[in-house]
Amino acid sequence: MNMCRHHNIDLWQVEKEERICFCLYVKDFKQTKALVKKTKIRPHIEKKAGIPFLWHWLIKNWTFSSGFLFFLILLAVMSSFVWEISFQGQSTYTKETLLKAVNEMGVHRGMKRSRLFCDDIEKSIRERYSDISWVSAEEKGSHLVISIKEAEKLVPRQSEQKPCHLVAPRDGIVREISVNRGLAAVKKGQKVKKGQILINGIVPITDDSDQIIEKTPVAAKGTVKIYAERNLSEAVPVKKKIKEYTGRKIRVYDWQLGDTSISLKNPFKRFNNSYNYDIMSSKMLDKKLYPFSFCVSMEQYECREYEWKTVSMNEKQLQKAGAECYNRIKREIASDGHKVLSHTAQMKKKNASTWELVGRIGYLCEDTKKKYIQEKEWQVEKKEEEEADGETGNNSGDSGRT
């Protein structure tokens, strides 16, 4: 080391342990040959670092370096184009309609990003569609995202509704009735039948002496609550078919690259075609490749082999099946907006092969149906009034002649 210093050879990162390690330049390493011969030591090169050695390695491995250089050039070129145009926030207009409009502006997939001006796109869309109140065009790499907000449409309010009656949707007993428009045709506690008028849409107009001088058709409006009952009579067979899995199952992976689907194997070739199969799928991968416009997804399918087996249910299982059927009917009634008030049900043995669920469910029905007033119906009402007025006039004339 003293001799290297004497000959102006720069050394750095000197480490002194069992051996001496240091760094020096290539030009200085060539000058150490005389010093090595004089001191009778054997130097070993542990590592070569620097641009000259890297350049030599790149020239030696020209296939890798040229491929890497081609990848960088291709990435730079492909990143300078728009490969995907997407829309979000629209409800009235379809993506195809908006994409066609954008293409007519000169914006399309594969165009250069340097020719893309988001402000011009926003202005053109607002001018083309007057019911779009807000537009935002944003460039995310090679992906153009256009966000749209449509103006709320003002629905013209109908000043006049079609005249109608409110009728009972089913048989029952009126529990509550309140009229907003029209004339009540039933009372609280009265039994009604399906189709019977609850609120009449023909309203009479009277004079000071309570005589009907005119009848006006209106759209009946109000709230009517009817207590109705549903009789239960559901057959529950003693024997039923159940699935019995054989234990054989196969997993298969389906790759989707854009519009191309690739499946490595057909699992059904290893199964017996006389059996049935349950296929359960789960998506394992779903990603969009940027700057490209296609997606890569992988879906796993698990095929489980099973066969049908007929079994006989005992009394406990039949009671459970009846309870499931009973709860299903109650859910159906509740899903229609009705309120269940009372319910009774029991399982009875009908014969050796069938049991029967019998009972009754009482519920409160709050919906009504409309029965529109026909023009003929109104004409009949008007004709009766005219005939009544005519008879009154004739009677007055006869009295005068008398």
Side-chain angles (χ1 to χ4, degrees), residues 367-382:
D367 61 339
T368 54
K369 291 186 177 181
K370 291 182 180 181
K371 181 183 179 183
Y372 292 102
I373 300 174
Q374 301 296 328
E375 187 176 354
K376 293 181 179 180
E377 182 182 355
W378 172 239
Q379 288 176 352
V380 169
E381 293 286 345
K382 198 170 182 180

mmCIF file of all heavy atoms in Angstrom, residues 367-382:
data_model
loop_
_atom_site.group_PDB
_atom_site.id
_atom_site.type_symbol
_atom_site.label_atom_id
_atom_site.label_comp_id
_atom_site.label_asym_id
_atom_site.label_seq_id
_atom_site.Cartn_x
_atom_site.Cartn_y
_atom_site.Cartn_z
ATOM 1 N N ASP A 367 -103.610 -2.820 0.292
ATOM 2 C CA ASP A 367 -103.615 -2.392 -1.100
ATOM 3 C C ASP A 367 -105.026 -2.495 -1.690
ATOM 4 O O ASP A 367 -105.839 -3.302 -1.249
ATOM 5 C CB ASP A 367 -102.644 -3.231 -1.936
ATOM 6 C CG ASP A 367 -103.024 -4.699 -1.921
ATOM 7 O OD1 ASP A 367 -103.751 -5.111 -0.993
ATOM 8 O OD2 ASP A 367 -102.607 -5.433 -2.832
ATOM 9 N N THR A 368 -105.309 -1.650 -2.631
ATOM 10 C CA THR A 368 -106.594 -1.646 -3.333
ATOM 11 C C THR A 368 -106.337 -1.620 -4.831
ATOM 12 O O THR A 368 -105.225 -1.280 -5.278
ATOM 13 C CB THR A 368 -107.432 -0.420 -2.939
ATOM 14 O OG1 THR A 368 -106.650 0.764 -3.146
ATOM 15 C CG2 THR A 368 -107.867 -0.487 -1.487
ATOM 16 N N LYS A 369 -107.345 -1.994 -5.572
ATOM 17 C CA LYS A 369 -107.247 -1.979 -7.031
ATOM 18 C C LYS A 369 -108.143 -0.892 -7.601
ATOM 19 O O LYS A 369 -109.154 -0.524 -7.002
ATOM 20 C CB LYS A 369 -107.650 -3.342 -7.600
ATOM 21 C CG LYS A 369 -106.661 -4.445 -7.281
ATOM 22 C CD LYS A 369 -107.046 -5.741 -7.988
ATOM 23 C CE LYS A 369 -106.015 -6.827 -7.728
ATOM 24 N NZ LYS A 369 -106.366 -8.088 -8.423
ATOM 25 N N LYS A 370 -107.744 -0.402 -8.766
ATOM 26 C CA LYS A 370 -108.515 0.641 -9.428
ATOM 27 C C LYS A 370 -109.449 0.023 -10.463
ATOM 28 O O LYS A 370 -109.053 -0.904 -11.185
ATOM 29 C CB LYS A 370 -107.587 1.646 -10.114
ATOM 30 C CG LYS A 370 -106.779 2.498 -9.158
ATOM 31 C CD LYS A 370 -105.929 3.493 -9.911
ATOM 32 C CE LYS A 370 -105.115 4.368 -8.972
ATOM 33 N NZ LYS A 370 -104.294 5.351 -9.715
ATOM 34 N N LYS A 371 -110.635 0.550 -10.513
ATOM 35 C CA LYS A 371 -111.604 0.184 -11.547
ATOM 36 C C LYS A 371 -112.028 1.477 -12.226
ATOM 37 O O LYS A 371 -112.740 2.294 -11.651
ATOM 38 C CB LYS A 371 -112.813 -0.533 -10.933
ATOM 39 C CG LYS A 371 -113.844 -0.954 -11.961
ATOM 40 C CD LYS A 371 -115.047 -1.601 -11.299
ATOM 41 C CE LYS A 371 -116.091 -1.987 -12.335
ATOM 42 N NZ LYS A 371 -117.313 -2.559 -11.704
ATOM 43 N N TYR A 372 -111.533 1.640 -13.456
ATOM 44 C CA TYR A 372 -111.768 2.898 -14.147
ATOM 45 C C TYR A 372 -113.240 3.030 -14.557
ATOM 46 O O TYR A 372 -113.872 2.066 -14.968
ATOM 47 C CB TYR A 372 -110.870 3.000 -15.377
ATOM 48 C CG TYR A 372 -109.412 3.128 -15.017
ATOM 49 C CD1 TYR A 372 -108.553 2.034 -15.116
ATOM 50 C CD2 TYR A 372 -108.892 4.323 -14.550
ATOM 51 C CE1 TYR A 372 -107.219 2.139 -14.777
ATOM 52 C CE2 TYR A 372 -107.556 4.445 -14.202
ATOM 53 C CZ TYR A 372 -106.724 3.354 -14.317
ATOM 54 O OH TYR A 372 -105.407 3.465 -13.969
ATOM 55 N N ILE A 373 -113.741 4.249 -14.430
ATOM 56 C CA ILE A 373 -115.131 4.540 -14.773
ATOM 57 C C ILE A 373 -115.242 4.645 -16.288
ATOM 58 O O ILE A 373 -114.607 5.517 -16.907
ATOM 59 C CB ILE A 373 -115.593 5.851 -14.102
ATOM 60 C CG1 ILE A 373 -115.481 5.726 -12.577
ATOM 61 C CG2 ILE A 373 -117.012 6.206 -14.501
ATOM 62 C CD1 ILE A 373 -115.769 7.009 -11.830
ATOM 63 N N GLN A 374 -116.008 3.737 -16.880
ATOM 64 C CA GLN A 374 -116.174 3.733 -18.318
ATOM 65 C C GLN A 374 -117.071 4.898 -18.751
ATOM 66 O O GLN A 374 -117.904 5.399 -17.997
ATOM 67 C CB GLN A 374 -116.778 2.405 -18.774
ATOM 68 C CG GLN A 374 -115.943 1.186 -18.391
ATOM 69 C CD GLN A 374 -114.585 1.183 -19.079
ATOM 70 O OE1 GLN A 374 -114.462 1.675 -20.202
ATOM 71 N NE2 GLN A 374 -113.584 0.624 -18.415
ATOM 72 N N GLU A 375 -116.866 5.282 -19.990
ATOM 73 C CA GLU A 375 -117.672 6.386 -20.526
ATOM 74 C C GLU A 375 -119.156 6.017 -20.590
ATOM 75 O O GLU A 375 -120.026 6.852 -20.322
ATOM 76 C CB GLU A 375 -117.168 6.758 -21.918
ATOM 77 C CG GLU A 375 -117.814 8.005 -22.492
ATOM 78 C CD GLU A 375 -117.216 8.378 -23.829
ATOM 79 O OE1 GLU A 375 -116.239 7.739 -24.245
ATOM 80 O OE2 GLU A 375 -117.744 9.312 -24.465
ATOM 81 N N LYS A 376 -119.421 4.736 -20.890
ATOM 82 C CA LYS A 376 -120.810 4.285 -20.938
ATOM 83 C C LYS A 376 -121.457 4.390 -19.561
ATOM 84 O O LYS A 376 -122.617 4.747 -19.431
ATOM 85 C CB LYS A 376 -120.870 2.845 -21.440
ATOM 86 C CG LYS A 376 -120.444 2.677 -22.886
ATOM 87 C CD LYS A 376 -120.550 1.232 -23.310
ATOM 88 C CE LYS A 376 -120.142 1.063 -24.770
ATOM 89 N NZ LYS A 376 -120.237 -0.355 -25.199
ATOM 90 N N GLU A 377 -120.690 4.033 -18.526
ATOM 91 C CA GLU A 377 -121.220 4.107 -17.170
ATOM 92 C C GLU A 377 -121.600 5.544 -16.811
ATOM 93 O O GLU A 377 -122.641 5.794 -16.211
ATOM 94 C CB GLU A 377 -120.174 3.575 -16.189
ATOM 95 C CG GLU A 377 -120.630 3.554 -14.741
ATOM 96 C CD GLU A 377 -119.544 3.062 -13.802
ATOM 97 O OE1 GLU A 377 -118.475 2.644 -14.303
ATOM 98 O OE2 GLU A 377 -119.763 3.110 -12.586
ATOM 99 N N TRP A 378 -120.763 6.453 -17.183
ATOM 100 C CA TRP A 378 -121.049 7.855 -16.883
ATOM 101 C C TRP A 378 -122.233 8.361 -17.717
ATOM 102 O O TRP A 378 -123.062 9.122 -17.245
ATOM 103 C CB TRP A 378 -119.805 8.686 -17.159
ATOM 104 C CG TRP A 378 -120.014 10.167 -17.073
ATOM 105 C CD1 TRP A 378 -119.807 11.088 -18.044
ATOM 106 C CD2 TRP A 378 -120.478 10.892 -15.944
ATOM 107 N NE1 TRP A 378 -120.094 12.345 -17.602
ATOM 108 C CE2 TRP A 378 -120.514 12.249 -16.286
ATOM 109 C CE3 TRP A 378 -120.877 10.526 -14.653
ATOM 110 C CZ2 TRP A 378 -120.928 13.243 -15.422
ATOM 111 C CZ3 TRP A 378 -121.290 11.517 -13.781
ATOM 112 C CH2 TRP A 378 -121.314 12.857 -14.173
ATOM 113 N N GLN A 379 -122.323 7.909 -18.952
ATOM 114 C CA GLN A 379 -123.447 8.312 -19.798
ATOM 115 C C GLN A 379 -124.754 7.786 -19.240
ATOM 116 O O GLN A 379 -125.769 8.459 -19.274
ATOM 117 C CB GLN A 379 -123.245 7.813 -21.232
ATOM 118 C CG GLN A 379 -122.158 8.556 -21.977
ATOM 119 C CD GLN A 379 -121.916 7.986 -23.351
ATOM 120 O OE1 GLN A 379 -122.461 6.940 -23.704
ATOM 121 N NE2 GLN A 379 -121.093 8.671 -24.140
ATOM 122 N N VAL A 380 -124.744 6.579 -18.711
ATOM 123 C CA VAL A 380 -125.956 6.010 -18.115
ATOM 124 C C VAL A 380 -126.382 6.847 -16.933
ATOM 125 O O VAL A 380 -127.556 7.171 -16.754
ATOM 126 C CB VAL A 380 -125.726 4.550 -17.699
ATOM 127 C CG1 VAL A 380 -126.871 4.038 -16.847
ATOM 128 C CG2 VAL A 380 -125.581 3.679 -18.942
ATOM 129 N N GLU A 381 -125.412 7.224 -16.084
ATOM 130 C CA GLU A 381 -125.739 8.051 -14.924
ATOM 131 C C GLU A 381 -126.350 9.375 -15.369
ATOM 132 O O GLU A 381 -127.322 9.865 -14.822
ATOM 133 C CB GLU A 381 -124.466 8.311 -14.096
ATOM 134 C CG GLU A 381 -123.889 7.081 -13.419
ATOM 135 C CD GLU A 381 -124.707 6.656 -12.223
ATOM 136 O OE1 GLU A 381 -125.531 7.460 -11.755
ATOM 137 O OE2 GLU A 381 -124.539 5.523 -11.759
ATOM 138 N N LYS A 382 -125.778 9.972 -16.431
ATOM 139 C CA LYS A 382 -126.271 11.252 -16.910
ATOM 140 C C LYS A 382 -127.660 11.115 -17.533
ATOM 141 O O LYS A 382 -128.529 11.944 -17.378
ATOM 142 C CB LYS A 382 -125.283 11.807 -17.936
ATOM 143 C CG LYS A 382 -125.441 13.280 -18.197
ATOM 144 C CD LYS A 382 -124.277 13.766 -19.026
ATOM 145 C CE LYS A 382 -124.396 15.253 -19.264
ATOM 146 N NZ LYS A 382 -123.285 15.776 -20.072
#
